Amino acid sequence: MTQDGGSVKAFTETPFDYLIIGGGTAGLVVAARLSERQDLNIGVLEAGYAIPDDTPAVSVPGRWGEGIGTEYDWQFETTPQKQLDGRKLPWPRGKALGGSAALNFMIWNRPSSDDLDAWERLGCKGWGWNDMLHYYKKSEKFIEPDNKAKLEHTIHYDREAHGTEGPLTVSFNKQHSVPHQYWHETLENLGVATNKTHMSGSNVGAWTSMVAVNPKTATREYSATSYYRPVKDRKNLTVLTGATVQNVVLEQSNGGDWMAKGVRFEHGGSNYVAHASREVILSAGSVKSPQILELSGIGNPSILDKANIETKVVNKNVGENLQDHLLTATIYEIDPSVPTLDDLRTDPKLDAAADEEYKTHLSGPRTLLSCSIAYIPLSTLVPEAGIPALTSHLSKSTDSVSKAIATRLEPSANGGHVEYIFDVGNWNPFTPVKPDKKYATLLQILQYPFSRGSIHAKSADPNEAPVIDPQYYENEGQIDREIQLHAAGFGQKILETEPLKSFVKGRVWPPPGVSKAEWNDWIVGNTTTDWHPVATCAMGGKEGKEGGVVDERLRVYGVKGLRVVDASVMPLQISAHLQATVYAIGEKGADLILEDARE
């Protein structure tokens, strides 16, 4: 059950076996799975609140993006980025039951097998593709499209690769915007084949994406609706919302070992402590999880000293190794007769009509999502002769993560280095738009970043946002900027190839005829986050504590009874949108916890 402020005292007096910090994507997966054991008592602390079902900005697919900047968003921002003209970037993160999956664009895909096998090569035993596929399938309830939809929308999939009995319903959209019909043929004319098994170990090529949408209700699926709601009345599961975690309660044994015993939190202006007899599980995401570890005295002494926090467990990797996907959006003019979501934002009558169609028929513009996807390997974007120019920026780092990232520049590497998404509407806030024009957007998203930054507590105050410094395009990140330049060239080819060539009138942002130097300046001025931060509490693999924050069973080095289960444990970025992988991490994390509970 979900408790309100009047039940805080009861929450603190409950003898929990496990306390979960964060009721987001992974946290609610873990809560649901652990509470299947009736002999275990599970508590969840969530800073945000449950989102009412009648919140269109979250539940209605075609209103994607409207939840960003609301009360359901932490509304973080980065430090000024040196290589982005000193710009600070907004970093939306979900602050609600269900976490960031309540705000995302609902794309449901998986990385290529080698992305996860790379984790295992780093020493993260049990985290390769063959092990993780079970957990991807375990989370899914895949609803197959009918034959008519398959034909009309170029839908392909490998039925055996999907789960059909999991909590979270996933599907293919029933309707698509106008240019989707041209996507596959255009890419094929460029030599990029349609990938008919894009969820089965290689996502390279063009495909129609799945989405986290229930086709029966045409509503967003996320962990609050799929994992939590069906089990919320379990007597051994209690969720407390509106609870801001201050730190993990650590106690030291006579032998000097640190142990997690509970959680300090604030609720309604008062401070409380809740206790856990077995474990505390940190599932607060790639931004908050490292901050909470540091607030608890776990981290780099130099960072903690500056924040006026006592160091209890030294680990210089906490908050480091931050990797994010980098996005730019080029804009093209299209025929003014083509319907776009921009129409609904400017015409109240069209907006009302779309709402009525959705309410009455569960169809129309309010159901549309961007599903025209292509993942392109580096070998297609950069001629082999151009690779030495990229590798010249590589440092002489000898740590295993740096070496693993460097292998992604090898000519034989065949992962999807850059993702392209095309749809109608203007997605770039910097575009100089004209009121009588209509636009379409080509998103270009770099998947394997060399840019690596950090997230750290600024002070001992848990209400103060952490310092987020992705260091986009800095140091080895120069490679990212150069790949983005090459990728922009390939993106231009996409829109110069039929049949999409006939659909667009021409590029308007950046303006036609820009030089290479001007393209570079445009990339610097337009790059933003794709909201996929990982690795700030990464698995250490073979290097153990020297290389990470948690071991392969997600246990925090140097502390008994404390784990991290969320996207922050990923040691390397993947070529995919994160949500399906985060659900799989939650499923595997729950299994690891339950396995250890039986010992």
Side-chain angles (χ1 to χ4, degrees), residues 467-514:
V467 179
I468 302 172
D469 185 9
Q471 298 184 36
Y472 294 127
Y473 300 149
E474 294 185 40
N475 305 314
E476 287 190 354
Q478 296 174 72
I479 297 171
D480 298 338
R481 188 180 65 245
E482 293 192 22
I483 293 174
Q484 290 281 54
L485 273 170
H486 286 284
F490 188 81
Q492 182 68 16
K493 287 181 181 179
I494 295 175
L495 275 301
E496 290 176 346
T497 301
E498 294 290 1
L500 274 180
K501 180 180 179 180
S502 297
F503 176 75
V504 301
K505 292 187 172 184
R507 194 182 71 229
V508 297
W509 191 248
V514 293

Side-chain angles (χ1 to χ4, degrees), residues 113-364:
S113 58
D114 192 66
D115 289 357
L116 302 185
D117 290 344
W119 298 1
E120 195 151 50
R121 290 194 294 272
L122 289 173
C124 304
K125 185 178 178 181
W127 290 89
W129 172 264
N130 289 335
D131 291 295
M132 290 297 288
L133 181 58
H134 164 72
Y135 293 107
Y136 281 112
K137 294 171 71 172
K138 187 177 181 180
S139 69
E140 289 181 346
K141 182 180 181 181
F142 172 47
I143 307 298
E144 293 192 56
D146 59 33
N147 290 329
K148 182 174 180 290
K150 291 179 190 178
L151 184 63
E152 285 184 1
H153 306 310
T154 319
I155 291 173
H156 300 282
Y157 55 91
D158 174 8
R159 184 183 290 106
E160 297 302 313
H162 293 286
T164 57
E165 299 179 359
L168 191 117
T169 302
V170 295
S171 61
F172 286 96
N173 251 22
K174 295 178 180 179
Q175 293 178 268
H176 295 267
S177 58
V178 174
H180 181 73
Q181 63 187 307
Y182 309 126
W183 181 248
H184 290 267
E185 184 179 352
T186 299
L187 270 294
E188 286 172 0
N189 288 340
L190 266 174
V192 178
T194 293
N195 187 335
K196 297 183 178 181
T197 57
H198 52 91
M199 299 283 275
S200 302
S202 174
N203 61 21
V204 172
W207 34 273
T208 301
S209 181
M210 298 174 64
V211 290
V213 171
N214 187 322
K216 292 182 179 179
T217 60
T219 55
R220 177 194 297 266
E221 284 273 303
Y222 61 114
S223 60
T225 60
S226 57
Y227 275 86
Y228 175 61
R229 183 176 295 169
V231 304
K232 65 182 180 65
D233 293 327
R234 286 178 180 168
K235 294 182 179 180
N236 65 333
L237 174 60
T238 309
V239 175
L240 181 65
T241 56
T244 300
V245 168
Q246 297 169 320
N247 54 47
V248 178
V249 177
L250 300 181
E251 295 181 4
Q252 198 168 25
S253 69
N254 292 333
D257 294 330
W258 287 99
M259 296 172 288
K261 292 294 186 179
V263 179
R264 293 185 183 88
F265 66 95
E266 180 270 330
H267 192 290
S270 298
N271 297 328
Y272 302 90
V273 177
H275 301 278
S277 62
R278 290 176 180 256
E279 291 187 15
V280 173
I281 300 151
L282 184 51
S283 296
S286 293
V287 175
K288 293 293 290 184
S289 284
Q291 181 191 24
I292 291 171
L293 287 179
E294 291 179 335
L295 292 171
S296 307
I298 304 167
N300 186 332
S302 65
I303 300 290
L304 299 185
D305 286 348
K306 290 178 182 178
N308 198 28
I309 299 169
E310 176 191 357
T311 300
K312 297 178 179 178
V313 178
V314 175
N315 188 314
K316 295 182 180 180
N317 295 303
V318 173
E320 297 293 324
N321 200 37
L322 171 63
Q323 300 160 47
D324 185 28
H325 290 155
L326 290 81
L327 179 150
T328 60
T330 51
I331 309 300
Y332 292 79
E333 185 182 346
I334 59 175
D335 190 281
S337 66
V338 177
T340 76
L341 286 180
D342 294 340
D343 300 336
L344 309 187
R345 298 181 180 119
T346 57
D347 188 325
K349 290 184 179 179
L350 290 177
D351 187 62
D355 287 341
E356 183 62 26
E357 182 177 359
Y358 177 79
K359 180 181 178 181
T360 305
H361 302 292
L362 298 181
S363 63

Side-chain angles (χ1 to χ4, degrees), residues 30-75:
V30 175
R33 293 305 187 188
L34 295 188
S35 62
E36 289 175 357
R37 279 261 310 260
Q38 295 184 10
D39 61 318
L40 298 176
N41 207 358
I42 315 302
V44 180
L45 292 162
E46 166 56 42
Y49 294 89
I51 302 174
D53 288 343
D54 59 349
T55 307
V58 172
S59 63
V60 178
R63 304 195 81 112
W64 48 264
E66 292 184 18
I68 293 173
T70 68
E71 62 187 293
Y72 307 120
D73 178 5
W74 281 97
Q75 302 183 42

